[in-house]
Amino acid sequence: MRLPTTILLPFLPILTLAADLILQIHPSQHVPNPSLLPPTTHATLHASGPPATAYLTRANTFEFRNLTTGSYLLNVHCRDVVFEGLRVDVGGVGAVGEEEGDEQEEGVKEVGGKEKGELVQVWQTFRGNEWDNKGEVRGVGRGRVAAEVRAVAGKEYYQERSGFSVLSFLKSPMILMALFSLGLIVGMPYLMENMDPETRAEFEEMQKKSPLASANNPAAQLQNFDLASWMAGKSTGADEGENGGSSQVRRR
Amino acid sequence: MRLHALLSLASLLPSALAVFADDAYHVDYHHALLGLPQQHTSFFQQPYAGSKAALIYTLSDKLVLGAVNPKDGHIVWRQSLASSDAIKSWLRAGQGQDTVVAAVGSHVTAWSAADGRLVWSAESLSGPVQDLEIIEIEDSEVSAGPKDVLVLFNASTPVVSRLDGKTGQVKWSFEDESGDAPLQVLASGAGIHYVSLHTTLLGGLKIKVVSLDQSTGHKTDQYSLSSESDLSSVDSILFVGANSASPILAWTDKFSRALKVNIVGTKSVASLDIEGKDGVGIDTISLHAPLATNSMPHFLVQIQTAQSHWADVYHIDLKRSLISKAYSLPRVAGKGAFATSTVDANVYFTRITADEVTVVSSVSHGILGRWPLKATAVPDLSDQPYPVSAVSEVVSRSGSAQAVRSAVLFSNGEWALIRNGEVTWSRPEALAGVTAAIWAELPETESLADQLEIESHGNILAAYIHRVKRHAGDLQYLPGWLQKLPSRILANFSGGSTRRPLDGLQKDSFGFRKLIVVATEKGRMAALNAGGSGKILWSMDTVPLTAEEKWTPQLRTSSGGAIAVHDQARGLSLLIDAATGKLLPVDPHVNSAFRHPSTGAAVVSYSLAEGEVRAHTPGQENPIPLWRFLPATDESILDITPRPADDPVASIGKVLGDRRVLYKYLNPNLVLVTAVHRTASTLSVYLLDSTSGDVLYTASHSGVDVTRKITSAISENWFTYSYTLDVSSSSLSRGHQLVVAELYESAIPDDRGPLDTAANYSSFQPAAAPGDVAKPHVVSQTFQISEEISKMSVTQTRQGITSRQLLAVLPESNSIVGIPRNVIDPRRPVGRDPTPAEVTEGLVRYSPVVDFDPKWYLNHKREVFGIVGLITSPSLLESTSLIFAYGLDLFGTRVTPSFSFDVLGKDFNKLQMLATVVALFVGVMFVAPLVRRKQINSRWQIT
């Protein structure tokens, strides 16, 4: 059932309560040129049972003709673009009197000359919300009513492969850290050499005092941990022994 | 609120995995089909006036309207006009128009010829369309603009209406109150004629022609042809010529001995004798006449007998209203097709036989061009294909045919374009309308499996000898393999050329190459190579069917790479070799295996009969049901969905964020039954244990539109179903919903419920423990989805380690979407943000709306029409599942729901890896002496 349930009304008196709905797609950010939308783009109007379907016309519209009274959910199905859902009420469902009052203010968008048609009201609707939770009015009128359906987003089907790029490689925090430390290692000796003697002395003093350099630094202790001496019960002699050993080497 | 929905969608985005841009159109394959083109609704036509290239337009027997590019056979656009009340269909295009007008059922629609947009549509109040014509010759008062359309509606009082070519509005209507059966309308140079059949008292049919005024629709003249003596049924009317300069009516007498031709507008009936040659009865007589208004009034009568066919060409003398035979085309053995084409006023007839294409002019019998016909591409196992119908386009210069291209439908369902005798392209239209499909292993992998089977079942010594022999036998491939090795390595490193041609039937190490055997509703079977871009390996007519019948056989895999075909309605069982399509002798025991298709080796088999589910012991001829399941009063069962027989589960529990485990309720006998209450608009879902017939879980939804598609799927320890909400519903929202439910042994983590300590378990009495303790704990959530789902399936992998994807066919957007499981996890926290433990599980806050991310669409930019079924198969790679969707179109792809973790992707640059290794090596070579010197210095230098 893909054919539009449109109808020929040649000899029917105009008095018949009939409602036509024309939905228009205007160029927008997501649809710069509606004429390029694929021909399979179509709108469905569902209340219950098989939905009414309208295909996209050359004029970038969907036309539903001879709608019966009811409250419909309108969806537009398109390969390239996501469209908003609309609620279409035909006939005296809901607060008609109120809406008719609004009609005068907003300016009725009537296209045809069918003045004695059913009242058609089109609102934005939000999926997963209560049906009475309506959004902006997209069109109100009697008989032949035009409304706008807006694109919400484009459809991006493909995922790009994150290929190798030098810039993104350099930007990664690991590489940045590595580069920084490399810079320090390479640059430090030059910095030290270029310091004036007083500052250098001060700096060396600071380094000696710093907890990192001292023997009490737990990290240093852990690194130089001598299992054998610890097991032998010599807790403090280890450092001395090692120091002594190295001095011996130097003395040679 | 929309912002909220978008935000929730955005939070899911990282987990979305899409089709890679460079994989699209390579990994997946798609046969975009139309159905068999019909002779009277196919033609070459320029999409707009002044266009250089013509397109082929056709309205197929599947009621798909499409425009095909004659250069490569690709579809430019297509629309499915399928309608419930469609019996006949028409497609017409006016000369130099930019629209094509189609009539299906009671709908008349005009489509933009270039891009397939709707121009206008009209539905008759009066009844189905009986005929459709374009008024080519405009009357004076109407100036330039789209040409008007003449439609005949077959209602209680037939109506002829003239529709405005621009808007589809009715300009005038003529009602025929005589009570005669409408036949056709004619719009020609001679005016508008309405042809009806008047049944005489003796049962003969009298042809009545009513002339109508073109601008007002008033009856101007009426006459009857005294045809009642030889015309008894509508079927013997051959031709009611339309837009030609001299429309003709042609019918045959009861014995196909004479052809009666009437030039519309005159009352005389010419009788042309048809002499049967070689004393064989004439099968069919068909008439081919040009449809252009300015063409010469010539026509061709084709006579087909069982063994041969020939044709006579007749000329009409318009001034004297005389019909004379001009010449005959020689008799050729076999069947043939004729096509008429016009160039200016000249008429050319193209004759296509099984082995050559000839072109003659209607004026003389001299052959203007002759080309031998090369065979069509696809191997057809049934008899030699012959042309059935054709449309052609002739390029002629200075009296001789320079070139001819014909779109020919062959008897095997191939629609091919033959350009000067060569097949330019060929479309497998016979495969439109697949009703059953099944995966089949390649013969080679099958044989290895068989060998291993032999080894595992023999005694140790014999098995060892067998294996040694097998390995020794495999040694013969070693030199070849070694020879190919360098080139393979080179090819691997040179990047792009890693993609070896996959057309062969040899196995691959990833198990992507499988066969798909399909059966179409027209009684045809074919095999596709899933690894080789869906190439058709063989195709054959299996069951002869009448036009109305639809073949829906059951397919099962059998041993030795064979596919067993079973047709319940015809009591037919076949065994077909999947790789070659050859029929194998049927084993009686294979036949018996068919009676319990749903359960395989299960203890109990069940089926839907008389509105209830009945279970019986397999193998019993007339069993008394072991159990019966009846839904609640007034409910009717829609569908039963069993858990797939081959559904491996890697983990029996679900590890929570705090390292505790929720144990899955894994029952191989789960069956999901969906039932609807038609008047109360409720949907009930029952989860049964098929062995005991116990109801494990029920759910009911009110306000459901029971006329819409309700589909379900079940896998592992979860099931899902979708439905559409009704307008009259008490529910607060509208749209389509997807319910997902997970089954656990217990609601409490680290608890296995009453089965915890049990050593034995009885399938027949799962609820031996009193009360509901043995029933699973069910967690379910409902999500609002944007579209109706017509079919659901679940991906399958080899060991079930990879997370699953729910595959859903979306008929409205012509696509297939793979919904990741974590998005529709029913344990998503509702109304609060997930706790850190839940975040580690990958749970996100529940949002009622699940938007189908375009990245989930498996078909990406392709549009797959009319999908009715979806089958999945594991590949040898744990990460990858193969998918095949069938229906009108055939579409296949492979998905990696948890990314392709076990295979290097295309983004892995081997050259770059090699370069990195080399660079590191060079670096080491440089740095090593430096380091060594530094070490020595540190030991020896005195600071």
Side-chain angles (χ1 to χ4, degrees):
Chain A
M1 278 304 293
R2 308 295 295 271
L3 273 176
T5 55
T6 48
I7 207 148
L8 282 177
L9 297 162
F11 300 108
L12 282 180
I14 295 170
L15 288 169
T16 331
L17 282 182
D20 293 356
L21 174 66
I22 298 156
L23 290 157
Q24 297 157 336
I25 301 173
H26 297 305
S28 64
Q29 180 200 342
H30 301 292
V31 191
N33 184 1
S35 300
L36 295 178
L37 289 173
T40 45
T41 306
H42 62 280
T44 54
L45 203 54
H46 177 256
S48 88
T53 305
Y55 280 96
L56 187 60
T57 63
R58 269 188 189 167
N60 303 318
T61 57
F62 304 103
E63 285 192 41
F64 291 99
R65 289 196 222 159
N66 203 33
L67 295 175
T68 50
T69 308
S71 182
Y72 297 89
L73 171 67
L74 185 130
N75 281 315
V76 178
H77 307 276
C78 179
R79 187 192 64 192
D80 296 342
V81 186
V82 183
F83 286 92
E84 62 182 1
L86 293 179
R87 172 181 168 166
V88 178
D89 277 14
V90 179
V93 180
V96 180
E98 188 190 309
E99 292 296 340
E100 274 178 320
D102 290 350
E103 230 175 84
Q104 306 303 325
E105 294 160 29
E106 290 178 26
V108 185
K109 287 185 190 170
E110 277 183 46
V111 182
K114 266 186 234 162
E115 288 179 355
K116 292 210 173 176
E118 296 251 27
L119 177 68
V120 178
Q121 303 164 82
V122 183
W123 299 278
Q124 219 183 343
T125 186
F126 309 105
R127 201 143 31 83
N129 272 250
E130 284 170 25
W131 188 235
D132 292 335
N133 193 353
K134 294 173 286 206
E136 261 180 70
V137 177
R138 285 289 147 81
V140 182
R142 279 187 184 279
R144 201 167 158 83
V145 178
E148 190 198 345
V149 60
R150 290 182 190 167
V152 177
K155 281 188 180 174
E156 186 48 62
Y157 290 104
Y158 302 112
Q159 190 176 343
E160 285 299 323
R161 283 196 195 277
S162 48
F164 178 78
S165 101
V166 181
L167 205 68
S168 69
F169 174 75
L170 287 178
K171 268 188 204 161
S172 82
M174 290 291 280
I175 297 299
L176 282 178
M177 269 161 66
L179 283 180
F180 177 70
S181 50
L182 188 78
L184 269 186
I185 289 165
V186 173
M188 208 56 177
Y190 293 101
L191 261 174
M192 294 286 280
E193 267 175 33
N194 294 344
M195 274 184 203
D196 65 302
E198 268 181 45
T199 331
R200 197 197 300 185
E202 206 176 303
F203 187 76
E204 277 172 2
E205 195 65 26
M206 241 168 63
Q207 264 193 331
K208 271 179 200 162
K209 274 187 190 166
S210 90
L212 280 172
S214 78
N216 295 331
N217 182 10
Q221 273 183 351
L222 207 68
Q223 261 183 347
N224 301 333
F225 185 69
D226 187 357
L227 186 73
S229 54
W230 177 74
M231 289 186 85
K234 283 195 244 169
S235 56
T236 48
D239 284 344
E240 285 169 22
E242 204 183 52
N243 285 346
S246 62
S247 60
Q248 270 172 8
V249 171
R250 276 182 205 147
R251 234 174 277 141
R252 231 191 276 164
Chain B
M1 205 54 216
R2 194 172 65 197
L3 184 74
H4 178 235
L6 282 178
L7 274 180
S8 72
L9 184 73
S11 68
L12 299 171
L13 272 179
S15 67
L17 48 149
V19 179
F20 284 111
D22 51 350
D23 272 349
Y25 302 101
H26 293 288
V27 162
D28 46 13
Y29 51 90
H30 180 202
H31 291 286
L33 301 174
L34 298 163
L36 298 181
Q38 306 173 90
Q39 169 109 48
H40 70 283
T41 56
S42 306
F43 46 82
F44 280 89
Q45 167 91 7
Q46 272 81 20
Y48 47 90
S51 163
K52 277 180 187 154
L55 298 177
I56 307 171
Y57 294 91
T58 188
L59 182 59
S60 72
D61 66 335
K62 300 291 238 170
L63 302 177
V64 176
L65 169 63
V68 174
N69 188 345
K71 287 206 170 65
D72 51 9
H74 285 159
I75 286 176
V76 181
W77 57 266
R78 59 181 172 154
Q79 299 280 11
S80 175
L81 307 183
S83 161
S84 54
D85 57 347
I87 313 143
K88 291 184 192 165
S89 56
W90 289 265
L91 184 69
R92 295 281 184 274
Q95 285 168 2
Q97 297 284 292
D98 61 349
T99 54
V100 289
V101 183
V104 171
S106 57
H107 305 272
V108 183
T109 42
W111 303 87
S112 170
D115 60 2
R117 293 283 193 96
L118 183 74
V119 179
W120 51 261
S121 75
E123 188 186 331
S124 78
L125 291 166
S126 21
V129 175
Q130 174 69 26
D131 194 24
L132 174 79
E133 293 301 339
I134 305 257
I135 302 174
E136 287 283 357
I137 297 166
E138 290 293 351
D139 35 15
S140 53
E141 60 188 85
V142 183
S143 57
K147 288 172 181 165
D148 287 357
V149 180
L150 202 59
V151 192
L152 171 63
F153 297 108
N154 183 9
S156 48
T157 51
V159 178
V160 179
S161 296
R162 177 173 175 162
L163 309 184
D164 191 315
K166 208 173 187 173
T167 59
Q169 296 287 328
V170 173
K171 283 191 166 171
W172 52 255
S173 279
F174 165 77
E175 287 189 44
D176 175 32
E177 277 153 356
S178 63
D180 297 338
L183 182 69
Q184 271 190 318
V185 282
L186 300 169
S188 66
I192 291 175
H193 299 279
Y194 158 64
V195 182
S196 60
L197 296 174
H198 178 73
T199 313
T200 55
L201 285 170
L202 293 166
L205 293 171
K206 214 170 180 174
I207 296 173
K208 203 174 87 182
V209 179
V210 177
S211 305
L212 301 173
D213 184 81
Q214 198 159 354
S215 49
T216 59
H218 294 314
K219 183 155 94 179
T220 54
D221 191 16
Q222 175 180 346
Y223 64 92
S224 294
L225 299 174
S226 49
S227 58
E228 65 270 22
S229 57
D230 40 38
L231 190 62
S232 57
S233 83
V234 186
D235 298 333
S236 41
I237 296 172
L238 287 182
F239 189 81
V240 183
N243 285 324
S244 52
S246 57
I248 51 169
L249 278 164
W251 66 95
T252 56
D253 63 359
K254 281 171 192 159
F255 313 103
S256 297
R257 288 265 182 256
L259 182 73
K260 309 275 183 174
V261 181
N262 163 253
I263 302 164
V264 175
T266 65
K267 285 181 189 172
S268 61
V269 176
S271 183
L272 309 169
D273 284 342
I274 302 162
E275 63 268 39
K277 294 184 185 173
D278 50 57
V280 192
I282 290 162
D283 281 357
T284 51
I285 300 171
S286 44
L287 203 146
H288 302 268
L291 292 172
T293 42
N294 55 354
S295 60
M296 286 190 279
H298 301 162
F299 65 92
L300 180 144
V301 179
Q302 183 194 354
I303 300 134
Q304 178 79 55
T305 67
Q307 276 126 41
S308 60
H309 70 278
W310 65 93
D312 297 324
V313 175
Y314 295 90
H315 289 180
I316 303 171
D317 188 335
L318 283 175
K319 281 177 192 148
R320 290 185 291 159
S321 297
L322 278 180
I323 296 165
S324 59
K325 182 171 163 182
Y327 62 90
S328 288
L329 287 172
R331 190 163 68 98
V332 171
K335 290 186 176 168
F338 285 88
T340 316
S341 39
T342 50
V343 179
D344 301 328
N346 298 318
V347 179
Y348 297 95
F349 296 114
T350 311
R351 179 185 203 171
I352 296 134
T353 63
D355 45 37
E356 74 174 1
V357 178
T358 49
V359 177
V360 290
S361 163
S362 66
V363 181
S364 71
H365 64 280
I367 287 171
L368 302 178
R370 181 199 291 270
W371 296 273
L373 179 58
K374 280 143 201 154
T376 48
V378 174
D380 192 276
L381 299 167
S382 40
D383 52 356
Q384 189 64 29
Y386 56 85
V388 174
S389 68
V391 286
S392 63
E393 198 183 46
V394 174
V395 178
S396 112
R397 209 167 295 153
S398 61
S400 73
Q402 300 280 311
V404 59
R405 53 179 185 180
S406 318
V408 185
L409 176 68
F410 284 92
S411 58
N412 60 355
E414 287 285 314
W415 193 33
L417 189 101
I418 296 167
R419 196 177 175 280
N420 297 345
E422 276 185 50
V423 176
T424 315
W425 50 260
S426 154
R427 297 174 53 83
E429 298 297 351
L431 296 186
V434 169
T435 50
I438 194 166
W439 296 95
E441 292 291 334
L442 287 174
E444 207 174 335
T445 37
E446 275 279 329
S447 73
L448 180 64
D450 288 347
Q451 301 280 327
L452 291 175
E453 189 85 348
I454 293 167
E455 281 166 25
S456 62
H457 286 290
N459 68 49
I460 295 173
L461 190 69
Y464 183 74
I465 292 166
H466 189 271
R467 177 163 290 199
V468 169
K469 269 190 195 159
R470 183 162 60 84
H471 285 183
D474 283 348
L475 273 181
Q476 60 171 318
Y477 303 112
L478 185 69
W481 184 78
L482 285 175
Q483 256 177 4
K484 271 191 233 151
L485 198 62
S487 63
R488 265 176 60 195
I489 291 172
L490 268 180
N492 263 325
F493 278 111
S494 58
S497 61
T498 48
R499 190 174 291 283
R500 274 168 294 154
L502 287 170
D503 49 350
L505 265 190
Q506 64 277 47
K507 65 172 181 189
D508 64 334
S509 44
F510 298 151
F512 294 159
R513 274 179 234 178
K514 287 196 175 187
L515 301 176
I516 302 155
V517 178
V518 296
T520 71
E521 60 185 28
K522 289 207 161 57
R524 205 175 174 79
M525 293 197 71
L528 280 78
N529 183 1
S533 348
K535 196 173 163 253
I536 296 157
L537 299 170
W538 54 265
S539 157
M540 64 164 179
D541 267 322
T542 314
V543 187
L545 294 174
T546 59
E548 292 83 35
E549 282 179 301
K550 283 195 174 179
W551 197 44
T552 48
Q554 289 179 317
L555 305 179
R556 311 260 141 229
T557 40
S558 187
S559 57
I563 296 296
V565 184
H566 187 60
D567 184 359
Q568 206 107 44
R570 283 176 191 75
L572 177 87
S573 283
L574 298 169
L575 206 57
I576 287 173
D577 185 34
T580 61
K582 289 197 176 75
L583 286 175
L584 304 172
V586 179
D587 271 344
H589 77 267
V590 173
N591 189 6
S592 74
F594 266 119
R595 296 205 180 103
H596 322 289
S598 50
T599 45
V603 197
V604 171
S605 70
Y606 52 88
S607 57
L608 185 61
E610 291 166 34
E612 58 180 30
V613 186
R614 285 180 187 164
H616 23 77
T617 325
Q620 279 187 16
E621 273 305 314
N622 194 7
I624 306 152
L626 289 174
W627 52 259
R628 302 192 309 166
F629 171 76
L630 264 167
T633 330
D634 294 337
E635 280 187 355
S636 53
I637 294 178
L638 277 186
D639 199 11
I640 48 177
T641 315
R643 195 180 149 193
D646 184 25
D647 188 22
V649 176
S651 159
I652 59 158
K654 184 159 197 169
V655 181
L656 305 181
D658 54 6
R659 299 297 158 125
R660 290 188 302 167
V661 174
L662 264 180
Y663 287 96
K664 294 174 184 171
Y665 182 83
L666 294 169
N667 183 342
N669 305 320
L670 291 179
V671 187
L672 192 68
V673 178
T674 46
V676 289
H677 193 300
R678 302 234 174 243
T679 46
S681 301
T682 55
L683 162 72
S684 296
V685 176
Y686 303 93
L687 186 70
L688 308 182
D689 181 304
S690 69
T691 312
S692 63
D694 280 1
V695 177
L696 299 174
Y697 171 76
T698 61
S700 193
H701 302 270
S702 59
V704 174
D705 190 341
V706 293
T707 59
R708 303 309 300 153
K709 283 264 173 23
I710 293 168
T711 53
S712 52
I714 180 164
S715 172
E716 209 181 351
N717 69 324
W718 56 278
F719 59 88
T720 172
Y721 49 94
S722 76
Y723 54 87
T724 303
L725 291 173
D726 195 77
V727 62
S728 55
S729 73
S730 50
S731 78
L732 294 165
S733 69
R734 290 279 297 279
H736 314 278
Q737 297 198 329
L738 179 77
V739 180
V740 185
E742 277 184 343
L743 312 168
Y744 292 101
E745 290 187 348
S746 163
I748 311 151
D750 284 344
D751 176 52
R752 299 210 60 177
L755 289 176
D756 191 10
T757 50
N760 294 319
Y761 168 78
S762 166
S763 286
F764 286 101
Q765 289 176 314
D772 281 347
V773 262
K775 288 194 176 166
H777 169 67
V778 181
V779 196
S780 79
Q781 265 176 10
T782 306
F783 300 94
Q784 192 95 20
I785 51 174
S786 56
E787 263 180 74
E788 186 177 22
I789 296 174
S790 69
K791 192 86 194 166
M792 291 202 278
S793 186
V794 180
T795 58
Q796 274 190 328
T797 55
R798 201 169 156 77
Q799 279 149 359
I801 299 167
T802 305
S803 59
R804 284 162 167 83
Q805 255 183 18
L806 177 67
L807 304 170
V809 178
L810 309 177
E812 286 294 348
S813 50
N814 301 323
S815 48
I816 301 162
V817 73
I819 308 166
R821 266 288 279 132
N822 65 328
V823 176
I824 48 167
D825 194 323
R827 294 182 55 250
R828 282 171 66 173
V830 180
R832 62 178 172 86
D833 282 325
T835 59
E838 283 171 336
V839 170
T840 55
E841 269 186 75
L843 291 174
V844 284
R845 186 184 169 134
Y846 172 77
S847 107
V849 178
V850 168
D851 278 307
F852 295 141
D853 189 326
K855 293 205 169 12
W856 300 346
Y857 283 70
L858 305 181
N859 56 312
H860 50 96
K861 292 238 167 183
R862 295 178 193 266
E863 289 182 286
V864 286
F865 278 56
I867 297 299
V868 297
L870 199 59
I871 52 171
T872 58
S873 168
S875 69
L876 289 177
L877 287 179
E878 171 54 33
S879 66
T880 310
S881 174
L882 307 179
I883 289 166
F884 180 71
Y886 57 90
L888 177 71
D889 283 8
L890 305 176
F891 173 78
T893 188
R894 40 182 203 252
V895 290
T896 50
S898 306
F899 299 98
S900 50
F901 54 81
D902 48 5
V903 66
L904 286 176
K906 269 205 271 184
D907 51 346
F908 184 81
N909 192 338
K910 285 166 184 155
L911 217 60
Q912 192 185 323
M913 183 202 68
L914 211 66
T916 314
V917 171
V918 168
L920 280 174
F921 184 72
V922 169
V924 167
M925 295 283 279
F926 264 105
V927 175
L930 286 176
V931 172
R932 201 177 303 128
R933 185 153 21 108
K934 193 170 183 188
Q935 273 179 344
I936 292 169
N937 284 353
S938 70
R939 298 243 160 156
W940 288 94
Q941 259 179 1
I942 301 156
T943 42

